[in-house]
Amino acid sequence: MKTKTFKLEVDGVEKEYAVRSPTLENQREAQKIYNQAFTDAIKSKSVFRAKLDDLLEDQGLWNDEKQAKFTELQKDLLEGEKRLAKGGFSLNEAKDLAIKMKSIRDEIRELISVRTSLDNHSAEGQADNARFNYLVSVCLVYNDTKQPVYKNMEEYLNSSTDKAAINGAQNLANMLYGLDNDYESNLPENKFLKKFKFVDDKLRFVDKKGRLIDREGRLIDESGRFIDEEGNFVDKFGNKVDKDGEYLVDSQPFLDDEGNPIILDEDKPKDEKVEPSSETEQPQGAPTNQPEVTVSNEQTASTT
């Protein structure tokens, strides 16, 4: 039985997981879940996958112009891949071509995002998702005990944002559909950029010194904020800013019609010293003006 393993740290303890290929029994049960989900989707009037194009056109979400744009972008991408593979032109020009190809791929994804989203909500899309979720819930196990990580599909869905669930789904998708965990790294433009050290192992752009930069060559930090050579925050044009993005400049007051500075109350200096009132405060150690108390001989005698 084919399996894929991976390790994760959970609550400070490293655990090893395995994704095994579905058994025949798993596949039969998954088909039942597919059928039930498909039936429920039809009852709720979900659209069939074959009708998606009509729905997109009716809603104005897809038309001949967008289709032509999609075809043109695909053509440009393929031509770029062919030119990069052939070589024979300057490295800087090849770098610009690779960056352009990344932009084209992003544009294609954005263009078809609506279609992809609607496909997931079609009757077949909902049924496919239900079947896949069931298979992840039964095929993701602990590698040492071979026991399922989740007791059922519902528990898996409630934990679908956990690292174990995400990694399990990715590995199973790779096994079932021939997908690649390193899909992005293996794209022609990214392979070229990595080969000539224009990007790091995480496909982040770097300069000749290995420092992080954006696509235009401007220095950035790990969080993507613009910085200068000393590591200080700046805007995209190099002007210094603080951690909140406020410009670091010497502020001057605005002027009125006569050219005089306008000083607002909030800008006026505040008195730091407050003189004590002679009526309410006295120097430390001074006697108080309290009435004198006289004790008679009789009172003194009564206390002895």
Side-chain angles (χ1 to χ4, degrees):
M1 180 180 293
K2 184 178 180 181
T3 61
K4 288 190 175 184
T5 61
F6 60 92
K7 294 180 181 180
L8 290 174
E9 187 174 304
V10 180
D11 298 328
V13 179
E14 186 178 72
K15 294 185 178 181
E16 187 172 13
Y17 302 85
V19 179
R20 58 175 180 78
S21 56
T23 63
L24 183 59
E25 182 181 352
N26 295 152
Q27 293 176 3
R28 287 173 177 168
E29 187 62 29
Q31 187 59 44
K32 293 179 183 178
I33 290 176
Y34 176 96
N35 295 339
Q36 184 60 56
F38 183 80
T39 301
D40 292 342
I42 295 301
K43 288 181 179 179
S44 64
K45 298 183 179 180
S46 296
V47 66
F48 287 101
R49 186 169 279 160
K51 294 290 185 179
L52 278 181
D53 287 342
D54 294 338
L55 178 61
L56 287 166
E57 291 182 7
D58 290 343
Q59 298 296 320
L61 300 174
W62 197 261
N63 51 36
D64 292 341
E65 182 179 348
K66 289 188 176 182
Q67 181 61 48
K69 180 65 174 177
F70 176 68
T71 303
E72 180 186 355
L73 290 172
Q74 284 187 313
K75 181 181 178 182
D76 291 343
L77 196 58
L78 291 174
E79 289 178 350
E81 291 181 9
K82 181 179 178 181
R83 191 171 181 219
L84 268 186
K86 185 177 181 181
F89 55 105
S90 75
L91 185 61
N92 283 332
E93 189 178 352
K95 175 189 175 184
D96 292 340
L97 174 59
I99 294 175
K100 180 182 178 181
M101 289 169 62
K102 289 174 71 71
S103 298
I104 291 175
R105 212 175 289 276
D106 290 341
E107 194 172 351
I108 289 176
R109 290 190 183 114
E110 183 178 354
L111 188 62
I112 65 173
S113 61
V114 175
R115 178 187 292 272
T116 303
S117 177
L118 279 180
D119 182 77
N120 287 331
H121 290 86
S122 67
E124 295 92 340
Q126 294 178 56
D128 284 336
N129 290 337
R131 174 169 54 192
F132 180 75
N133 289 334
Y134 168 76
L135 289 175
V136 176
S137 70
V138 296
C139 294
L140 177 61
V141 300
Y142 293 108
N143 196 37
D144 53 353
T145 64
K146 307 304 179 188
Q147 294 299 310
V149 175
Y150 304 105
K151 62 183 180 182
N152 51 41
M153 185 169 73
E154 182 179 0
E155 185 179 40
Y156 161 69
L157 291 173
N158 289 332
S159 307
S160 59
T161 56
D162 293 349
K163 289 184 178 179
I166 294 172
N167 277 268
Q170 288 176 341
N171 280 281
L172 184 62
N174 294 344
M175 294 169 62
L176 296 180
Y177 310 123
L179 302 180
D180 184 3
N181 273 340
D182 296 325
Y183 170 76
E184 288 289 335
S185 294
N186 290 327
L187 291 173
E189 61 270 27
N190 288 332
K191 289 174 68 175
F192 164 82
L193 292 170
K194 284 181 64 177
K195 180 178 180 180
F196 290 96
K197 302 186 184 306
F198 291 121
V199 297
D200 62 12
D201 291 338
K202 296 181 181 179
L203 302 181
R204 301 177 300 181
F205 285 96
V206 293
D207 62 11
K208 292 181 179 180
K209 296 181 180 180
R211 299 175 299 182
L212 295 178
I213 57 175
D214 68 356
R215 292 189 181 186
E216 282 72 43
R218 294 169 294 201
L219 287 174
I220 58 174
D221 63 9
E222 290 284 343
S223 61
R225 291 196 58 175
F226 295 111
I227 56 175
D228 61 16
E229 293 285 343
E230 287 74 40
N232 301 309
F233 292 128
V234 296
D235 66 8
K236 65 189 300 183
F237 301 109
N239 300 303
K240 289 188 176 182
V241 296
D242 62 18
K243 62 182 180 64
D244 298 318
E246 299 291 337
Y247 286 104
L248 297 175
V249 294
D250 294 330
S251 298
Q252 301 294 327
F254 292 99
L255 308 177
D256 60 18
D257 294 340
E258 284 72 36
N260 300 313
I262 301 174
I263 307 299
L264 302 177
D265 289 340
E266 61 188 44
D267 296 327
K268 293 179 180 179
K270 298 180 180 179
D271 294 335
E272 296 184 359
K273 291 185 178 180
V274 179
E275 295 296 333
S277 170
S278 59
E279 297 180 357
T280 59
E281 297 185 8
Q282 298 181 16
Q284 187 175 3
T288 57
N289 297 324
Q290 294 183 355
E292 183 179 352
V293 178
T294 304
V295 181
S296 68
N297 292 334
E298 292 181 353
Q299 290 174 315
T300 305
S302 65
T303 58
T304 59

